[in-house]
């Protein structure tokens, strides 16, 4: 069993998820990292441990409900509690317009960006009720303000996350559960490689960095139990 707070981070092998996990570990959380690539999870966990933090890994595909349920059971068996979620797994496609998208791609994007978030929250909710836990849903600027280039499926799925967070806050407040719809603008991560036109280094240089999002996540995770951050929008000065 683990003493202290336990945080489950999906999409924890890279980008905003990995940066958020490292920041949380520095703040004393025991971090459990999930994602599809076990090697990346191990690398992040080793770095956290190297800095004196506590980390565990549970490789899984968040699109698989059975894998999510199994990971939840393993997490609780190992650590005995769950105090927080950071949901950072995401998907998009270069072909994202009505005139070039495919329905299989549409479903895959919605499955990862929306259905998987609900699946993980649903699996974790009994433990979060016990702890009065906190949930950070890493959404997108496109979930807060319509962005023409974001794509049909991506825009729809990220916008829907706002409703997921609102219903969670409205219905679970009696258990002390708090959730945040975190909407970052442009962030310089590998996720940009999924754009139809991939930004160059000059464009990435004026974007937010994963560590900027990690600071935002750390702010939410560190808020007192009587305080809820319903929605948080962060963007680079250069955001259009």
């Amino acid at each position: 069993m683990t003493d202290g707070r336990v945080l489950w981070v999906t999409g924890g092998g890279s980008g905003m998820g990995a940066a958020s996990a490292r920041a949380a570990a520095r703040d004393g959380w025991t971090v459990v990292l999930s994602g599809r690539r076990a090697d990346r999870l191990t690398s992040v966990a080793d770095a956290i441990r190297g800095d004196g933090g506590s980390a565990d890994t549970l490789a899984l595909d968040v699109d698989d409900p059975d894998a999510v349920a199994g990971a939840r059971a393993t997490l609780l068996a190992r650590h005995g509690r769950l105090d927080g979620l950071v949901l950072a797994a995401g998907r998009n496609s270069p072909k994202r317009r009505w005139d070039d998208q495919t329905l299989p791609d549409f479903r895959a994007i919605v499955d990862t960006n929306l259905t998987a978030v609900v699946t993980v929250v649903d699996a974790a909710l009994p433990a979060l009720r016990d702890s009065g836990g906190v949930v950070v849903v890493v959404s997108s600027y496109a979930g807060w303000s319509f962005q023409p280039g974001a794509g049909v499926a991506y825009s729809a799925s990220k916008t829907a996350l706002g409703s997921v967070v609102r219903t969670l806050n409205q219905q679970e407040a009696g258990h002390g559960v708090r959730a945040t719809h975190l909407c970052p603008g442009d962030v310089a991560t590998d996720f940009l490689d999924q754009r139809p036109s991939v930004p160059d280094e000059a464009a990435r240089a004026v974007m937010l960095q994963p560590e900027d999002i990690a600071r935002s996540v750390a702010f939410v995770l560190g808020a007192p139990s009587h305080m809820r951050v319903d929605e948080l929008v962060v963007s680079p000065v250069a955001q259009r």
Side-chain angles (χ1 to χ4, degrees), residues 27-106:
D27 287 340
W29 291 80
T30 293
V31 179
V32 181
L33 300 160
S34 285
R36 288 178 293 177
R37 295 187 56 174
D39 57 336
R40 289 195 174 192
L41 300 177
T42 298
S43 178
V44 177
D46 287 346
I48 288 172
R49 296 186 194 111
D51 288 337
S54 179
D56 191 6
T57 63
L58 288 171
L60 64 87
D61 184 344
V62 291
D63 292 340
D64 182 345
D66 291 336
V68 170
R72 182 274 317 273
T74 300
L75 184 154
L76 293 176
R78 290 178 182 175
H79 301 284
R81 62 184 295 162
L82 179 62
D83 303 89
L85 286 177
V86 173
L87 301 161
R91 184 192 295 265
N92 206 347
S93 168
K95 296 182 178 181
R96 55 182 66 175
R97 295 169 50 86
W98 282 107
D99 56 13
D100 66 1
Q101 70 175 355
T102 68
L103 285 180
D105 278 348
F106 181 95

Side-chain angles (χ1 to χ4, degrees), residues 167-179:
T167 57
L168 189 59
N169 281 334
Q170 193 273 329
Q171 297 173 22
E172 296 297 327
H175 297 286
V177 175
R178 300 160 288 142

Side-chain angles (χ1 to χ4, degrees), residues 141 185-187 203 205-209 212 234-240:
Y141 203 78
D186 291 335
V187 185
V206 296
M207 294 180 180
L208 296 173
Q209 301 301 310
D212 298 318
V234 293
S235 57
V237 173
Q239 186 81 32
R240 294 181 179 179

